[in-house]
Amino acid sequence: MTIKLTDVAKKAGVSPTTVSRVINHYGYLSQKTIDKVHLAMEELNYQPNSLARSLQGKNTQLIGLIFSSVGNPFFGELVEKLENKLFEKGYKTILCNSADNKEKERDYLRMLAANKVDGIIAGAHNLGIKEYEKVGLPIVSFDRFLADNIPIVSSDNFHGGQIATQALIQSGGEKIAIFTGTNRSNSPTNSRLEGYLATIKKNQLEPYVFEFDSHYSSALKSLEIKKILKEEALDSVFCTDDLTAILVMNEAVKLGLNVPEELKIIGYDGTTFMQQYFSQLTTIVQPIEDCATLLIDLLVQRITDKDVALEPLYTLPVKLIQGEST
């Protein structure tokens, strides 16, 4: 049987209006009355209807999170921090895994709008989704351009590309490649490649750019990496994500290449998982904690005041953690 607001009122010995005021934090009520209502709600396992509250002009205290895959350690850690910090602020989250599927992302946007979420934090990288401009909700983006009025939070990808490439040069690298994504999306992460190219040019070296489609399985990517390592005689590789860097290390071992004597490798992301289980990898660390905090702060500002002036891009610093792969 569905528990109704009137059931809570009867058990608490108050009027339905009083129960509604407790749920919506409206008007003055004694602490004794508030406690009685909360106890009745708990005993009856009553769940307030968030959609009904939104139709009354009140916030639902729901936030939508749209990311490609929490199976990726970086996004998994970022989503975990976002969920924890939002919960501390009184928000519940609806997690949407877009899986690099444009139509799936569109469906999730429509679903979040229908459920009257208070706002959205988006970090997926599908192209050409105009719905972000029309959904009419406060939105903040992580590492991706969505629309002119949606602020982006990003780490300093250009400087990260510079740091990684310069570290490989200082370790004696001369034939330095970058293994990156296709860089088709209008994303700040493209600047990792730009930082690499600028540093290569500054040091009068030859660039070696290898792009991997985001839809590649790890098995297919490993085959491509093996082919490149066999044919190109590289002495250094900068990977724009840590998972690719681990694949490079694995293929190097299979080919009998000594790391870092014969092949130096640097990754990018530096999650807690990677630092704990693959501490031998030198990597560029993104400030995930700071990214989560800033994303939420900006979103709450826009929820509170939809016309608040926000910068188009907020950039946070990165750092290099030295491992045994360089």
Side-chain angles (χ1 to χ4, degrees):
M1 183 180 70
T2 302
I3 302 299
K4 300 177 182 178
L5 184 143
T6 51
D7 298 322
V8 176
K10 183 177 179 179
K11 187 169 186 65
V14 299
S15 70
T17 301
T18 297
V19 175
S20 178
R21 290 170 67 190
V22 170
I23 292 171
N24 294 301
H25 308 287
Y26 178 74
Y28 174 77
L29 294 167
S30 69
Q31 189 60 49
K32 182 179 179 181
T33 299
I34 294 171
D35 290 343
K36 281 199 303 181
V37 171
H38 281 158
L39 180 61
M41 289 170 61
E42 184 177 339
E43 290 179 353
L44 294 173
N45 195 28
Y46 174 72
Q47 303 297 324
N49 189 319
S50 294
L51 180 56
R53 292 178 63 199
S54 72
L55 293 175
Q56 296 168 9
K58 296 175 172 50
N59 288 349
T60 61
Q61 300 303 114
L62 293 172
I63 300 295
L65 304 179
I66 303 179
F67 285 87
S68 295
S69 171
V70 293
N72 181 301
F74 177 81
F75 290 122
E77 188 169 324
L78 177 59
V79 166
E80 180 183 27
K81 291 186 182 300
L82 286 170
E83 190 277 330
N84 286 334
K85 291 176 183 292
L86 284 166
F87 187 84
E88 290 171 1
K89 290 182 176 291
Y91 291 97
K92 304 296 194 303
T93 56
I94 299 175
L95 176 59
C96 305
N97 255 6
S98 69
D100 292 320
N101 183 314
K102 188 187 299 184
E103 292 308 314
K104 192 175 182 183
E105 190 166 342
R106 284 197 176 105
D107 284 346
Y108 274 136
L109 268 174
R110 287 191 285 266
M111 182 268 288
L112 293 174
N115 281 275
K116 303 289 186 181
V117 297
D118 293 338
I120 295 172
I121 297 174
H125 287 79
N126 294 310
L127 296 174
I129 299 180
K130 297 294 183 182
E131 283 81 355
Y132 279 107
E133 301 175 15
K134 301 179 289 186
V135 72
L137 290 169
I139 302 174
V140 178
S141 171
F142 178 73
D143 249 352
R144 176 190 170 197
F145 176 82
L146 297 175
D148 289 334
N149 65 330
I150 297 177
I152 303 170
V153 172
S154 180
S155 68
D156 194 340
N157 291 288
F158 183 83
H159 189 47
Q162 287 181 310
I163 294 172
T165 310
Q166 192 60 47
L168 291 169
I169 292 170
Q170 290 175 347
S171 296
E174 294 180 350
K175 197 171 181 180
I176 303 170
I178 182 170
F179 288 4
T180 181
T182 53
N183 296 288
R184 290 176 191 150
S185 62
N186 191 356
S187 164
T189 55
N190 298 349
S191 296
R192 298 175 194 175
L193 172 59
E194 295 167 7
Y196 160 83
L197 291 172
T199 307
I200 288 292
K201 182 178 180 180
K202 180 182 176 181
N203 288 271
Q204 299 180 325
L205 296 173
E206 185 75 21
Y208 296 88
V209 179
F210 298 94
E211 295 185 349
F212 297 89
D213 192 284
S214 61
H215 296 99
Y216 275 14
S217 65
S218 59
L220 179 56
K221 186 181 280 189
S222 293
L223 289 173
E224 288 291 317
I225 289 170
K226 181 179 180 180
K227 180 181 177 183
I228 293 167
L229 294 181
K230 287 177 69 175
E231 294 179 355
E232 298 294 337
L234 304 169
D235 61 34
S236 308
V237 178
F238 165 40
C239 301
T240 56
D241 69 275
D242 284 339
L243 295 182
T244 300
I246 295 302
L247 293 179
V248 173
M249 292 180 70
N250 290 341
E251 292 307 315
V253 170
K254 292 177 184 177
L255 292 171
L257 296 172
N258 291 320
V259 178
E261 290 82 4
E262 295 176 282
L263 184 68
K264 307 173 201 320
I265 305 166
I266 290 184
Y268 202 109
D269 283 337
T271 60
T272 300
F273 174 84
M274 296 301 295
Q275 292 183 50
Q276 289 179 344
Y277 292 95
F278 297 93
S279 58
Q280 70 271 33
L281 177 66
T282 299
T283 188
I284 303 296
V285 180
Q286 297 197 68
I288 301 178
E289 182 92 23
D290 294 340
C291 287
T293 299
L294 184 53
L295 284 164
I296 293 170
D297 286 349
L298 294 175
L299 186 63
V300 171
Q301 285 187 55
R302 189 140 277 181
I303 291 170
T304 305
D305 178 6
K306 65 182 179 62
D307 297 318
V308 65
L310 298 176
E311 297 294 325
L313 177 63
Y314 295 82
T315 304
L316 296 171
V318 297
K319 65 180 180 180
L320 180 139
I321 286 187
Q322 185 70 47
E324 300 168 6
S325 62
T326 55

